[in-house]
Amino acid sequence: MTQEELFKKLIAHCKEYGFIFPSSEIYDGLGAVYDYGQNGVELKNNIKRYWWDSMVKLHENIVGIDAAIFMHPRTWEASGHVAAFNDPLIDNKDSKKRYRADVLIEDYLAKLDEKIEKEVEKARKRFGEAFDEEQYRATSPRVKEISEKRDAVHARFAEALNNNDLAELKQIILDCEVVCPISGTRNWTDVRQFNLMFSTQMGSTAEGANTIYLRPETAQGIFVNYLNVQKTGRMKLPFGIAQIGKAFRNEIVARQFIFRMREFEQMEMQFFVQPGTEMQWWNEWKNTRMAWHRALGFGDENYRFHDHDKLAHYANAATDIEYNFPFGFKDVEGIHSRTDFDLGRHQEYSGKKIQYFDPERGENYVPYVVETSIGVDRMFLQIMSAAYCEEKLENGEERVVLRIPACLAPTKVAVMPLVKKDGLPEKAREIIDSLKFDFNVAYDEKDSIGKRYRRQDAVGTPFCVTVDHQTLEDNTVTVRHRDSMQQERIAIADLYAMVERETSFRELYKKLK
Ligand code: ATP
């Protein structure tokens, strides 16, 4: 199965099993907007909990807030979003399809990278045991040729982005002979800038309505509350403010399912530090965040850092944590050193002094900021991509299993009476009653036990508990484990402790630095 086929199956699975539906689907959906279904919302809430606890619960010096989506319009002038929150767009005149010029070039560069890797793999097969990868990369004329081409395009690309040189971006697309995937032609328009913010009106027009924006990031809600939190919480530097909330971007090209949405959710933490210490904190947060991802156990080799080619207008260092999605390595989270840009600009635009009195230094200054910013939906897709697994069983049957870490799974336990009579359903309900205040529990009495297991595997339920006639005699049940499919007999009296131990976030938190 190709990665593309796998991704299509994953999308279909998300819909079929109540994880994600297209928004307003009965009206044929709305571009790049999605709804979370009965299982999706549970997984999403668990992801948010993992993030929130790892920030707010596990750090004495990080507190949370929940700011409004609407903000004073001056906020977005101060932040630079009105002037500069743009993407370069380009149209293909034949297919009439619109693309992000930077993404077309990034995809072209990724293809060259792929070519290099293919050469290396071919050589590995050819040379067998004796293969020296480092030497091959350094000396193969073919690899050298592709690498030089790649580096030259990359250098031009980075410079064009940093200079906002739209004509050069187009020229790179022409020189690299990038074709439209739909029409297959190179008939491109000029590159234009496109502002990604959604705007709306507040108040009635008669009264003189104000144009306001749907926030394109949650960060600004934190910056404008910096003084409130610092003063009321008597916070000392370094300290952080965390927030989870919706953000909106009028993305030019919405692709890859929930990877790029127009309405999405962010989990952001702004960490305020002494000027001059920001690089140290940036490195620290890079490591902390990487550890958070890796703790989920999806394989360290599937994550990497990728430094930005173009620094945003506010940043002096920026990196992404990328995950190996079915469509390649793509960013899930950004870790940015934002300097004193945001607080400094809000100080200037609001006329209010936004500073910190440092008792050790005996001076006032505008703190520097290191931000960690991750999309809930992208994290959701990352987990689904990593967890989705098709397996052939010993008896020849196939199963789809979601290997979601137990603490994140939407349902923890499914309780199943072997038959719908003889008092077994009643006994199953008793077990549910003993668990339901603390865990998400499902009841299922329909179809054969095998089919019921398959249904629970498909939504990632870690434990199935079967109640049979023996249960009525000795108060034991069969517990079947999702990943190993092993079954064990345990006493009902021990069930609660087992589920608590296996599904708690505790073990995950212990792995974090
Ligand atoms: P990209 O380069 O993919 O457009 P970005 O670098 O502009 O993203 P940031 O502004 O750094 O993204 O946003 C931080 C995080 O928010 C991203 O790492 C991503 O997880 C999430 N995010 C950003 N835009 C979207 C979107 N349109 N849909 C879903 N998640 C998003």
Side-chain angles (χ1 to χ4, degrees):
M1 184 169 42
T2 65
Q3 290 295 296
E4 206 170 305
E5 283 162 356
L6 172 74
F7 191 50
K8 276 199 186 133
K9 282 194 171 179
L10 181 67
I11 296 172
H13 190 88
C14 281
K15 184 168 168 206
E16 190 179 342
Y17 286 92
F19 284 91
I20 297 169
F21 309 122
S23 156
S24 25
E25 195 187 7
I26 55 169
Y27 296 103
D28 294 335
L30 181 66
V33 186
Y34 291 90
D35 298 340
Y36 285 81
Q38 65 279 17
N39 286 313
V41 68
E42 298 292 344
L43 173 56
K44 197 179 185 209
N45 284 340
N46 291 338
I47 293 171
K48 289 196 262 186
R49 176 165 168 207
Y50 177 37
W51 184 88
W52 187 265
D53 284 358
S54 74
M55 288 292 177
V56 176
K57 223 180 184 174
L58 301 188
H59 289 94
E60 259 176 42
N61 59 349
I62 298 181
V63 293
I65 63 163
D66 184 17
I69 288 171
F70 290 145
M71 300 181 70
H72 194 286
R74 290 278 282 168
T75 308
W76 305 108
E77 288 169 31
S79 69
H81 283 80
V82 173
F85 194 54
N86 301 320
D87 273 344
L89 68 85
I90 189 165
D91 295 284
N92 182 273
K93 290 184 198 160
D94 299 316
S95 66
K96 308 266 183 283
K97 286 278 169 203
R98 181 160 286 178
Y99 300 90
R100 258 172 70 175
D102 56 334
V103 172
L104 284 181
I105 300 171
E106 272 169 12
D107 286 350
Y108 173 80
L109 289 169
K111 274 198 195 118
L112 292 184
D113 284 337
E114 254 171 54
K115 264 193 193 163
I116 295 173
E117 293 316 310
K118 273 199 187 134
E119 289 294 322
V120 173
E121 280 320 302
K122 262 200 299 192
R124 192 192 308 283
K125 285 204 184 111
R126 211 166 53 231
F127 293 112
E129 295 260 301
F131 184 56
D132 181 340
E133 181 175 334
E134 211 173 306
Q135 193 193 357
Y136 181 78
R137 283 184 190 272
T139 55
S140 152
R142 180 83 185 117
V143 167
K144 219 167 142 215
E145 185 195 335
I146 307 171
S147 300
E148 277 169 8
K149 188 168 163 191
R150 184 210 176 277
D151 293 346
V153 173
H154 184 246
R156 271 179 77 186
F157 174 52
E159 196 179 336
L161 281 182
N162 283 314
N163 296 339
N164 267 330
D165 187 344
L166 303 183
E168 172 68 353
L169 281 181
K170 178 175 181 184
Q171 199 53 50
I172 297 172
I173 289 173
L174 294 178
D175 293 349
C176 294
E177 303 186 344
V178 174
V179 297
C180 164
I182 308 286
S183 67
T185 71
R186 287 182 243 146
N187 196 5
W188 297 109
T189 61
D190 286 342
V191 178
R192 283 163 294 147
Q193 290 288 25
F194 178 77
N195 192 289
L196 301 183
M197 281 200 294
F198 284 102
S199 62
T200 187
Q201 304 292 317
M202 190 180 237
S204 73
T205 335
E207 290 166 12
N210 256 333
T211 295
I212 55 165
Y213 299 98
L214 297 187
R215 66 181 178 197
E217 62 175 25
T218 55
Q220 299 303 326
I222 295 179
F223 295 132
V224 300
N225 276 298
Y226 161 79
L227 277 183
N228 285 336
V229 175
Q230 194 271 322
K231 293 228 153 77
T232 58
R234 291 181 295 127
M235 308 301 290
K236 293 212 162 43
L237 247 51
F239 75 93
I241 305 179
Q243 176 171 221
I244 299 178
K246 290 272 182 154
F248 305 83
R249 296 182 187 179
N250 196 2
E251 298 282 358
I252 300 170
V253 203
R255 283 184 314 175
Q256 289 149 338
F257 194 36
I258 56 167
F259 182 83
R260 193 173 297 288
M261 301 155 90
R262 296 200 166 101
E263 172 179 342
F264 58 102
E265 209 164 353
Q266 286 186 315
M267 306 187 278
E268 297 198 297
M269 193 281 298
Q270 311 294 327
F271 200 68
F272 300 94
V273 304
Q274 269 187 4
T277 63
E278 71 273 16
M279 281 305 154
Q280 174 205 328
W281 282 112
W282 182 64
N283 277 313
E284 180 89 18
W285 278 108
K286 273 172 69 173
N287 295 333
T288 305
R289 295 305 303 150
M290 188 57 110
W292 185 88
H293 286 276
R294 288 183 169 166
L296 291 174
F298 291 125
D300 291 1
E301 69 285 1
N302 288 318
Y303 302 88
R304 70 179 188 194
F305 288 115
H306 177 251
D307 290 338
H308 286 199
D309 287 323
K310 181 192 179 186
L311 289 178
H313 55 273
Y314 50 74
N316 70 352
T319 198
D320 287 334
I321 293 178
E322 295 188 335
Y323 177 75
N324 192 8
F325 285 98
F327 41 86
F329 273 97
K330 295 276 179 222
D331 71 302
V332 179
E333 167 154 11
I335 298 127
H336 310 129
S337 171
R338 291 180 81 127
T339 68
D340 59 355
F341 177 84
D342 299 275
L343 291 184
R345 292 275 285 202
H346 287 307
Q347 178 168 265
E348 185 188 333
Y349 276 66
S350 67
K352 309 259 162 33
K353 201 167 153 201
I354 305 183
Q355 299 200 348
Y356 175 74
F357 176 71
D358 189 328
E360 276 159 38
R361 289 200 195 180
E363 56 175 339
N364 281 302
Y365 52 77
V366 179
Y368 270 43
V369 173
V370 172
E371 139 181 293
T372 73
S373 170
I374 172 169
V376 181
D377 315 270
R378 237 176 241 192
M379 189 60 201
F380 188 107
L381 184 59
Q382 191 260 280
I383 289 175
M384 286 302 257
S385 309
Y388 182 88
C389 188
E390 292 181 7
E391 281 180 357
K392 215 172 183 88
L393 306 181
E394 273 170 16
N395 64 6
E397 279 180 30
E398 283 189 8
R399 71 162 181 165
V400 172
V401 55
L402 290 185
R403 294 180 184 277
I404 301 174
C407 57
L408 299 181
T411 302
K412 308 302 183 201
V413 186
V415 184
M416 310 167 167
L418 188 63
V419 289
K420 272 190 267 182
K421 54 182 185 185
D422 304 338
L424 299 188
E426 290 74 13
K427 192 73 185 168
R429 295 274 181 213
E430 261 176 45
I431 295 175
I432 288 183
D433 285 344
S434 72
L435 297 174
K436 71 181 180 194
F437 296 136
D438 297 293
F439 312 105
N440 281 357
V441 194
Y443 176 80
D444 193 358
E445 59 174 21
K446 208 166 164 284
D447 302 321
S448 69
I449 282 287
K451 273 196 182 152
R452 287 184 250 172
Y453 283 164
R454 288 298 91 77
R455 273 202 292 272
Q456 296 302 327
D457 287 344
V459 297
T461 306
F463 302 105
C464 290
V465 168
T466 306
V467 175
D468 55 21
H469 292 94
Q470 192 187 328
T471 310
L472 302 180
E473 286 162 24
D474 65 3
N475 273 316
T476 63
V477 285
T478 303
V479 173
R480 184 261 194 187
H481 296 253
R482 177 193 71 197
D483 294 348
S484 64
M485 296 191 290
Q486 296 285 326
Q487 301 189 9
E488 58 176 331
R489 197 82 200 172
I490 79 166
I492 292 174
D494 295 335
L495 204 54
Y496 184 98
M498 189 278 285
V499 177
E500 207 280 329
R501 186 179 64 243
E502 298 293 327
T503 67
S504 125
F505 282 83
R506 209 176 301 125
E507 292 311 310
L508 197 54
Y509 294 159
K510 280 191 201 157
K511 287 194 217 164
L512 305 177
K513 280 206 322 164

